[in-house]
Amino acid sequence: FKQKTAYEIASCLVGSEMCIRDSMYSVWIERWFQVFDKEQFLFLRSEDVFGLPNPVSATPSDYENNEKSRKLGMSEALQKVARHLNLGEMSDALTEQMVEMPETDDARVLKKGKMSPMRKETRALLNEFYQPFLVELAEKIGDEAFMWDDFRR
């Protein structure tokens, strides 16, 4: 991976149907930044919004017992969205009402841990592959949380 630039790697995958290209956020965000000002974006990690446990060390019960984390993550995300849109602070009652809304199918699958654990070798390969894209993304948006260091170990 070190012999090619992130752009060259992404160019090789743009025409393919591989999901791996969709997670090259730094490549896609660059295109959006050509059209919109960076300040118009609010970046939230789904892991934080849904209160998901670390997939490296999580057990199925961690996914089943994360209701408190999910509610906290959703509440914090809703407040960030309201501030970003200059709507001011949301009332606790409105925040709670929104947090209690039915989850999407994707959120339910993630929450219940229906995904098989990833092999260590696969995780290492993906970490190596995505590293340049994560560095570039964190630099472009100015947020080290998007290095996903807390979820990659």
Side-chain angles (χ1 to χ4, degrees):
F1 299 122
K2 295 178 178 117
Q3 293 135 351
K4 293 189 177 218
T5 66
Y7 179 79
E8 290 169 323
I9 294 170
S11 296
C12 295
L13 297 174
V14 166
S16 86
E17 293 299 319
M18 296 173 59
C19 291
I20 201 166
R21 71 174 180 183
D22 296 338
S23 296
M24 297 175 182
Y25 304 126
S26 63
V27 175
W28 309 119
I29 200 66
E30 182 62 34
R31 292 181 181 177
W32 284 103
F33 283 171
Q34 292 172 359
V35 179
F36 300 100
D37 291 332
K38 181 180 171 183
E39 293 74 30
Q40 292 181 276
F41 290 88
L42 173 65
F43 298 96
L44 302 171
R45 300 184 330 163
S46 60
E47 298 88 349
D48 299 332
V49 173
F50 294 116
L52 296 175
N54 185 325
V56 177
S57 59
T59 65
S61 66
D62 292 333
Y63 288 93
E64 293 169 8
N65 300 321
N66 79 325
E67 191 62 18
K68 185 176 180 181
S69 295
R70 184 193 69 80
K71 287 182 178 183
L72 178 62
M74 291 290 290
S75 295
E76 290 175 354
L78 288 167
Q79 292 292 347
K80 286 178 183 178
V81 169
R83 283 190 299 274
H84 182 75
L85 296 174
N86 294 318
L87 300 175
E89 293 295 316
M90 292 175 52
S91 71
D92 290 341
L94 179 58
T95 302
E96 186 174 336
Q97 181 183 2
M98 293 178 77
V99 167
E100 295 301 327
M101 292 176 78
E103 296 176 333
T104 64
D105 288 337
D106 289 344
R108 270 194 294 278
V109 168
L110 288 172
K111 181 178 150 190
K112 293 187 178 177
K114 294 197 177 197
M115 293 182 258
S116 300
M118 186 182 296
R119 292 177 49 212
K120 289 180 183 179
E121 297 85 358
T122 304
R123 182 170 300 284
L125 180 65
L126 288 171
N127 281 342
E128 181 182 352
F129 176 80
Y130 281 117
Q131 181 66 24
F133 298 102
L134 295 175
V135 168
E136 191 174 56
L137 176 65
E139 288 173 357
K140 284 180 181 178
I141 66 174
D143 190 343
E144 291 293 316
F146 286 86
M147 288 292 297
W148 277 279
D149 286 335
D150 53 338
F151 277 81
R152 296 185 331 139
R153 295 192 178 16

